[in-house]
Amino acid sequence: MEEKRQTHPNAYKPWTPDDEQQLGERCAQGASLEDLAQEFGRDLGAIATCLLKINAEGPAADEVAGFGA
């Protein structure tokens, strides 16, 4: 886990309601999946999973749908 956190500081930390809201807002503002991973310090899979959970809309959510998630 510590090794993963060297590249993704928030890896394995639970998402707070505020984090989820902010993620949805940034997605709606046009942020890409990669942008969100950088901003939130999480890997692409964690971002994708959360975007699906919150039914986000925007470019990053479209990217996730394109992966067949």
Side-chain angles (χ1 to χ4, degrees):
M1 184 181 325
E2 289 307 313
E3 185 176 321
K4 182 84 165 184
R5 284 192 174 156
Q6 289 180 11
T7 54
H8 306 290
N10 293 317
Y12 303 107
K13 291 182 181 177
W15 288 87
T16 66
D18 287 342
D19 291 339
E20 290 177 349
Q21 180 179 350
Q22 190 175 22
L23 180 69
E25 289 172 1
R26 289 291 297 126
C27 183
Q29 291 168 355
S32 70
L33 197 56
E34 186 65 41
D35 290 339
L36 295 172
Q38 293 268 336
E39 290 177 33
F40 287 86
R42 297 176 185 266
D43 68 18
L44 296 175
I47 297 295
T49 299
C50 192
L51 289 172
L52 291 171
K53 175 184 170 194
I54 65 173
N55 296 314
E57 294 183 9
D62 294 343
E63 288 181 66
V64 173
F67 293 145

